[in-house]
Amino acid sequence: MALHAKETIHDIAYKGDIHTIKLKLQEDSKLLTKKDDNDRLLIHWAALGGHEELLKLLSDLGSPIDSKDDIGSTPLILAASAGKEQVVHTLLSLGVNVNSQNNEGHSALQYASSKGWLEIVQKLLSSHANVNITDKRGATPLHRAASRGNTNIVKELLACGNQLVVDAKDAYGNTPLHLCCEEDRAEEAGLLVQHGASLTIKNKEEKTPLDLAPPTLARQLKNWVEQ
């Protein structure tokens, strides 16, 4: 009982208890824009919890849909990071900023690419997410997907064709191919090379992707290029 007594309205939003939220907002409409200790509104927690109906209600009542928490994350960024596909769809239909970035420069597309949420990546790209968006370390969604070995995401990003900068460099001068080679991710490295990624481009330490690749992968990559 003591734990229940300490439950906040933000906890209730995260659980998705729409009935209780409605009652509490009828009692005090200011709760709609009341922030918790993390500067999050009810709509942040509804998004993070994956509660589409509650999110729609909060939006209809006038909750700011692009509000940022203490680290700069919007409801869309939180939903994309948590893999809440339907909430992402709903937020995009409400007109949120698809390219909003948090304090570290991470966007919804970057989180989805890093965590392997293919359907979310597809929806974000179809909603005009910037495929080359960079965080504070200069990493693009392709850097994140490639380094994590998220093959389906890499393929989806490469499908953007000329829009995608395949040899984008991060703050250390590394391209996505550098990271693949360093992590010995042969399939992703092969895809990148087949889509024009350079084997000779150097990072800030004057290393090429081949310099970072284990011998077996280096041979495979050379063979792919020579074919």
Side-chain angles (χ1 to χ4, degrees), residues 45-217:
W45 288 108
L48 190 58
H51 305 298
E52 185 183 5
E53 187 181 354
L54 176 56
L55 186 140
K56 287 179 179 177
L57 170 69
L58 296 170
S59 174
D60 288 344
L61 292 174
S63 178
I65 56 176
D66 275 323
S67 178
K68 293 193 171 190
D69 65 13
D70 59 350
I71 62 168
S73 290
T74 62
L76 178 65
I77 290 173
L78 294 175
S81 179
K84 305 301 182 182
E85 182 183 345
Q86 285 307 122
V87 168
V88 168
H89 288 204
T90 298
L91 285 166
L92 291 170
S93 72
L94 293 172
V96 296
N97 178 3
V98 69
N99 290 314
S100 184
Q101 294 171 272
N102 66 17
N103 297 350
E104 292 299 318
H106 303 319
S107 68
L109 182 59
Q110 287 186 322
Y111 276 120
S113 298
S114 180
K115 295 192 174 185
W117 306 125
L118 179 60
E119 292 79 10
I120 292 178
V121 166
Q122 291 171 334
K123 183 61 179 177
L124 292 168
L125 289 173
S126 69
S127 299
H128 310 294
N130 178 1
V131 70
N132 299 308
I133 198 165
T134 57
D135 62 21
K136 286 199 170 180
R137 293 184 179 181
T140 65
L142 187 59
H143 279 97
R144 295 173 73 92
S147 65
R148 292 293 182 94
N150 294 333
T151 311
N152 289 339
I153 306 295
V154 170
K155 289 178 179 177
E156 194 68 30
L157 296 172
L158 289 171
C160 291
N162 292 336
Q163 296 177 49
L164 178 71
V165 180
V166 72
D167 277 330
K169 288 187 172 186
D170 65 15
Y172 309 99
N174 289 317
T175 65
L177 184 56
H178 276 93
L179 301 184
C180 280
C181 289
E182 191 170 37
E183 297 291 334
D184 195 16
R185 301 200 183 279
E187 186 173 3
E188 293 75 21
L191 286 168
L192 291 171
V193 168
Q194 289 161 25
H195 283 79
S198 172
L199 287 171
T200 58
I201 194 168
K202 294 182 179 181
N203 64 16
K204 288 189 175 179
E205 295 181 345
E206 295 297 309
K207 301 287 188 182
T208 69
L210 287 177
D211 292 329
L212 300 179
T216 300
L217 177 57

